[in-house]
Amino acid sequence: MVLPESKNQLNLFGYEKLFNSFVKFFQKNCLPNVILLSGPKGLGKATFAYHFINYLLTQNEENKYLINEFKINPNNQSYKLINNNVHSNFFLLDNEINEEIKIEKTRNLIKFLNKSTDSKNLKLILIDNSEYLNLNSSNALLKSLEEPSRNTFFFIIHNDSSPLVNTIKSRSVKFKIHFTNSEKKVVLKKILQDA
């Protein structure tokens, strides 16, 4: 059985406490602008980020995020736009399979940060597989990470079995993701039932 990509997983399992904490941070205007989600590969860190990003983007949409169910409403506009890679308030910086994230992609991110957006000028950036950022890409990102505007939020996904450049770590608020074996089994069972 092949599980759906992170951006297509409509239900979120195992992250309920962290999700509620992030919601409270956002409501109190104290959500960190640069969030590093670090932990072993395959724990659903990117899925969590996509869910929280959908929550943020759908605040004023008709089919907003179903917060009591930790579920993306597949009828919401933001979900559809992100799936088609055309949401004007969202940018994904990711690598091709086993390749570095090159400087050209980082330059495209910087162009995105300089453009105006739709709703409330909110800009959300997901950097997945951040351990693949090469040195030039990392250096190009630093200024953006140091001085993000008030409504710009970076979600950096890091597989902690690989090193990440210290300058990126030092500019982030780190959330270490870890599940016990029994928690992993419960989450996997729910994912399989959901598939």
Side-chain angles (χ1 to χ4, degrees):
M1 168 184 275
V2 178
L3 296 176
E5 286 183 63
S6 299
K7 70 179 179 180
N8 295 319
Q9 291 188 20
L10 298 177
N11 291 298
L12 182 65
F13 303 114
Y15 283 88
E16 295 83 0
K17 282 185 183 174
L18 186 62
F19 194 96
N20 285 332
S21 296
F22 275 37
V23 168
K24 286 178 186 162
F25 291 151
F26 181 70
Q27 289 171 343
K28 293 179 179 179
N29 291 320
C30 59
L31 182 70
N33 289 91
V34 183
I35 295 167
L36 175 62
L37 299 169
S38 185
K41 192 160 185 67
L43 286 187
K45 299 180 297 295
T47 300
F48 168 80
Y50 275 110
H51 273 253
F52 193 70
I53 287 166
N54 187 268
Y55 163 78
L56 294 174
L57 290 172
T58 62
Q59 295 291 299
N60 299 316
E61 286 186 23
E62 193 174 317
N63 298 300
K64 62 174 70 175
Y65 186 85
L66 303 168
I67 194 162
N68 294 329
E69 300 173 47
F70 301 97
K71 184 172 183 165
I72 293 173
N73 184 330
N75 296 314
N76 75 48
Q77 191 66 20
S78 287
Y79 174 71
K80 293 173 184 175
L81 292 172
I82 285 175
N83 269 342
N84 291 314
N85 301 314
V86 293
H87 202 297
S88 64
N89 296 66
F90 174 76
F91 189 93
L92 173 65
L93 181 63
D94 197 0
N95 69 321
E96 305 300 324
I97 296 172
N98 295 324
E99 284 188 17
E100 291 182 330
I101 299 174
K102 297 190 170 79
I103 186 95
E104 295 80 29
K105 287 188 173 186
T106 308
R107 287 185 180 131
N108 289 336
L109 167 57
I110 292 165
K111 286 178 193 170
F112 165 78
L113 291 170
N114 292 325
K115 284 194 311 191
S116 61
T117 59
D118 292 339
S119 62
K120 295 189 294 185
N121 210 27
L122 191 65
K123 290 182 183 174
L124 303 170
I125 298 93
L126 175 59
I127 302 174
D128 201 359
N129 299 306
S130 61
E131 61 275 9
Y132 285 98
L133 285 163
N134 68 26
L135 189 59
N136 290 334
S137 296
S138 299
N139 288 337
L141 265 179
L142 292 182
K143 186 168 177 15
S144 301
L145 295 176
E146 282 172 350
E147 303 166 5
S149 65
R150 194 172 60 83
N151 286 329
T152 299
F153 298 96
F154 289 85
F155 296 87
I156 303 172
I157 310 297
H158 173 236
N159 172 9
D160 66 2
S161 66
S162 301
L164 182 65
V165 180
N166 281 332
T167 49
I168 289 180
K169 278 193 224 175
S170 67
R171 286 158 177 81
S172 311
V173 176
K174 183 176 180 179
F175 293 85
K176 178 81 171 138
I177 309 299
H178 175 77
F179 290 125
T180 64
N181 282 336
S182 59
E183 288 170 328
K184 287 178 192 173
K185 286 178 186 173
V186 169
V187 168
L188 182 60
K189 186 177 179 184
K190 287 179 180 177
I191 290 171
L192 292 173
Q193 286 171 347
D194 191 51

